Amino acid sequence: MSYVHGYDRRANVRLQDQADALVDLLHSDTHYPEGSLVLEAGCGVGAQTVTLVRNSPRARFVSIDISHESLAAAQRKMQSAANVTFEQADVFHLPFARESFDHVFVCFLLEHLARPLEALEKLKQVLKPGGSITVIEGDHGSTYFHPDSAAAHEAIRCQVELQRASGGNANIGRELYPLLRQAGFADVSVSPRMVYVDASRPRLVDGFTRRTFTAMIEGVREAALGAGMITAARFDEGIRALYRTAEDDGVFCYTFFKALGRKL
Amino acid sequence: MSYVHGYDRRANVRLQDQADALVDLLHSDTHYPEGSLVLEAGCGVGAQTVTLVRNSPRARFVSIDISHESLAAAQRKMQSAANVTFEQADVFHLPFARESFDHVFVCFLLEHLARPLEALEKLKQVLKPGGSITVIEGDHGSTYFHPDSAAAHEAIRCQVELQRASGGNANIGRELYPLLRQAGFADVSVSPRMVYVDASRPRLVDGFTRRTFTAMIEGVREAALGAGMITAARFDEGIRALYRTAEDDGVFCYTFFKALGRKL
């Protein structure tokens, strides 16, 4: 599986920007009690780990990722935190005993996996009965904006198709409810976290519309052109249209989904 | 201007179902103080008037609509309410003195107008300085679902195109911020009201996915086929796919937008 966002420095900066702008929206209602052991699966460069640890300073975290490079970045970022352990591990071959963890946390991981249901089943195995799973994923199909632009939708579709070609699903957010149910979790509840951006919210205009979403789509330009998915002119027109939605009379909408489930 | 939803009994039942299921989401934060005079522009069959009056029992309402038939239905529904007056009037030729109203309320009206900005300007004229305007509109471009279906999106697009052919804009929700700003309102703030529906919310599965949204799309079948927009087989496939999203592993998403502005 290749990681469609890329492991380069620019991707790291982008993921960090995103984390800063969206921390409250996505994470403010996640708190783990003192002494609980939490598995963070797919921690990447630690963008979410920072917030997880800050919101639950007395819980202990094991944060895993398949990429050594990402883990190294995460470790540099978190070096002062005593309650996080980083480990290189594959979510499909977890090096943990069954029922080891009180809780499991997953953010922006399932979108990259060809078998998200199997990943959830594996995570359920290492979760203690009564423990919770929290899953946060985006959904690129939730994107719409003003002024509307067919070129912008085509550019976004390149990202969706490249992610699909890598075995992932950029529109997985809307599927969290059936996925968690099918994996056998109980009390599944999903709450959408819509990012609504207009000129009255300048921090989101810059932090989300420009520097997170549009920068992410811009980041697949070479791959999309290389795959013959779109012409350079059309792609660039789409990117300009996305930046256009960040102007004073523009509006941009995107929705993340946050799911909670429990292992009986 | 022809009204794309139609004035028949089925449309009335549908609009009433929608009002019942969505009352809290759309209206729970709208309350007008004792003695204030509120203009409800485009009251239709009174689906929103019922809630407006219940939430602000000591305000006085003037509810207008361009359709005599709709007003008659609204009047039958509200006959016991002493604090509502119904009047037949065109939003572009309001029969009221300038600065007559303390507040203006608009719900599901702008989507049907070819000149929504001009309508807002006319409404602003009859609003007192310091008064508020509240606007609620849907946005069909905010619709996505699981399982996804190209046919379902094509069926929805028929509704959007028919509404456009009538001079309306079924995707107007996302534009409320720039529209209110352009009309000269101050302190404009927009909050999206997303309807997220999965099997854990059976009231919305039935009341919204099936009986409101899908029934509305189904309602344009004859018009869409008559206009040669789509084949009967493809349209019916789309409708089946929309009902499919109401099954146990389905998910349906739609977003309304609620805007508040103030006249300086």
Side-chain angles (χ1 to χ4, degrees):
Chain A
M1 182 196 75
S2 80
Y3 188 76
V4 70
H5 301 324
Y7 285 115
D8 62 10
R9 170 171 292 274
R10 193 165 127 205
N12 287 3
V13 171
R14 183 178 54 70
L15 291 170
Q16 189 52 50
D17 286 344
Q18 172 170 324
D20 290 347
L22 299 174
V23 160
D24 283 351
L25 184 71
L26 300 183
H27 299 294
S28 64
D29 54 347
T30 296
H31 300 275
Y32 297 110
E34 177 165 359
S36 56
L37 185 63
V38 182
L39 174 64
E40 183 194 14
C43 64
V45 299
Q48 318 304 324
T49 315
V50 178
T51 308
L52 270 182
V53 168
R54 190 172 46 218
N55 286 350
S56 302
R58 287 156 195 259
R60 290 173 300 134
F61 293 88
V62 176
S63 294
I64 64 166
D65 202 273
I66 200 168
S67 155
H68 283 103
E69 294 90 331
S70 293
L71 279 169
Q75 235 150 354
R76 279 193 301 276
K77 185 178 310 191
M78 298 294 299
Q79 57 194 186
S80 65
N83 58 335
V84 189
T85 310
F86 290 97
E87 283 192 50
Q88 195 275 335
D90 180 348
V91 71
F92 293 104
H93 300 96
L94 291 167
F96 307 113
R98 295 174 78 90
E99 307 188 352
S100 312
F101 293 94
D102 297 299
H103 303 285
V104 170
F105 179 88
V106 176
C107 187
F108 306 148
L109 170 66
L110 301 186
E111 62 163 325
H112 298 294
L113 305 179
R115 290 165 284 128
L117 179 60
E118 187 184 324
L120 289 170
E121 288 164 345
K122 297 285 187 186
L123 290 166
K124 187 160 163 261
Q125 286 175 3
V126 301
L127 182 61
K128 292 180 189 170
S132 76
I133 186 166
T134 299
V135 184
I136 301 174
E137 298 287 343
D139 190 316
H140 290 4
S142 74
T143 311
Y144 53 98
F145 34 80
H146 174 76
D148 204 359
S149 154
H153 284 291
E154 287 167 35
I156 295 168
R157 209 169 302 135
C158 291
Q159 209 280 350
V160 172
E161 280 168 23
L162 286 165
Q163 195 153 338
R164 184 177 299 136
S166 306
N169 176 4
N171 297 350
I172 203 168
R174 72 190 73 173
E175 296 186 35
L176 292 186
Y177 180 82
L179 280 170
L180 266 74
R181 289 286 305 272
Q182 281 155 33
F185 289 100
D187 302 334
V188 177
S189 75
V190 172
S191 63
R193 311 283 163 116
M194 183 171 170
V195 186
Y196 167 80
V197 189
D198 63 32
S200 71
R201 310 177 188 211
R203 188 163 159 264
L204 282 172
V205 170
D206 194 53
F208 190 76
T209 306
R210 286 199 191 99
R211 293 205 292 161
T212 297
F213 188 84
T214 305
M216 174 186 67
I217 301 301
E218 242 182 326
V220 302
R221 184 179 191 276
E222 277 177 62
L225 299 183
M229 286 176 172
I230 193 168
T231 65
R234 186 68 170 169
F235 188 87
D236 295 343
E237 182 189 348
I239 296 298
R240 279 195 304 275
L242 288 173
Y243 281 117
R244 171 68 184 83
T245 72
E247 292 181 23
D248 256 11
D249 61 348
V251 172
F252 188 88
C253 299
Y254 186 92
T255 299
F256 296 91
F257 290 82
K258 185 167 185 173
L260 258 171
R262 206 162 51 83
K263 178 174 176 177
L264 289 181
Chain B
M1 181 195 75
S2 78
Y3 189 75
V4 70
H5 300 324
Y7 284 115
D8 61 11
R9 171 171 291 274
R10 191 165 129 206
N12 287 3
V13 171
R14 181 179 56 68
L15 291 170
Q16 190 50 52
D17 286 344
Q18 172 170 321
D20 290 347
L22 299 174
V23 160
D24 283 352
L25 184 71
L26 300 184
H27 299 294
S28 64
D29 53 348
T30 296
H31 301 275
Y32 297 109
E34 178 166 358
S36 57
L37 185 63
V38 183
L39 174 64
E40 183 195 15
C43 63
V45 300
Q48 318 304 324
T49 315
V50 178
T51 308
L52 270 183
V53 168
R54 190 171 48 219
N55 286 352
S56 302
R58 288 158 194 257
R60 290 173 300 135
F61 293 89
V62 176
S63 294
I64 64 166
D65 202 273
I66 200 167
S67 156
H68 283 105
E69 295 91 330
S70 293
L71 279 170
Q75 234 150 354
R76 278 194 302 276
K77 185 178 308 187
M78 298 295 298
Q79 56 195 185
S80 64
N83 59 334
V84 189
T85 309
F86 289 99
E87 283 191 50
Q88 195 274 336
D90 179 349
V91 72
F92 293 105
H93 300 95
L94 291 168
F96 307 112
R98 296 174 76 92
E99 307 188 354
S100 313
F101 293 95
D102 297 301
H103 302 286
V104 170
F105 180 87
V106 176
C107 187
F108 306 149
L109 170 66
L110 300 186
E111 60 164 326
H112 298 295
L113 304 179
R115 290 165 285 126
L117 179 59
E118 188 186 324
L120 289 170
E121 288 164 345
K122 298 284 187 187
L123 290 167
K124 186 160 163 263
Q125 286 176 2
V126 301
L127 183 61
K128 292 181 189 169
S132 76
I133 186 167
T134 299
V135 184
I136 302 175
E137 299 287 342
D139 190 316
H140 290 3
S142 74
T143 311
Y144 53 97
F145 33 80
H146 174 75
D148 203 359
S149 155
H153 283 291
E154 287 167 36
I156 295 168
R157 208 169 302 134
C158 291
Q159 208 280 350
V160 172
E161 281 168 24
L162 286 165
Q163 195 153 338
R164 185 177 298 136
S166 307
N169 177 4
N171 296 350
I172 202 168
R174 73 189 73 173
E175 296 186 35
L176 292 186
Y177 180 82
L179 280 170
L180 266 74
R181 289 286 305 271
Q182 281 157 32
F185 288 100
D187 302 335
V188 177
S189 76
V190 173
S191 63
R193 310 284 163 116
M194 183 171 170
V195 186
Y196 167 80
V197 189
D198 64 31
S200 70
R201 309 176 188 212
R203 188 163 159 265
L204 282 172
V205 171
D206 194 51
F208 191 76
T209 306
R210 285 199 191 98
R211 294 206 292 160
T212 298
F213 188 84
T214 305
M216 174 185 66
I217 301 302
E218 242 182 325
V220 303
R221 184 178 191 276
E222 277 177 61
L225 299 184
M229 284 176 173
I230 194 169
T231 66
R234 186 67 171 170
F235 188 88
D236 295 344
E237 182 188 348
I239 296 298
R240 279 195 305 275
L242 287 173
Y243 281 117
R244 171 69 185 82
T245 71
E247 292 180 23
D248 256 12
D249 61 347
V251 172
F252 188 88
C253 301
Y254 185 92
T255 299
F256 295 91
F257 290 82
K258 184 167 185 173
L260 257 172
R262 205 161 52 83
K263 178 174 175 176
L264 290 181

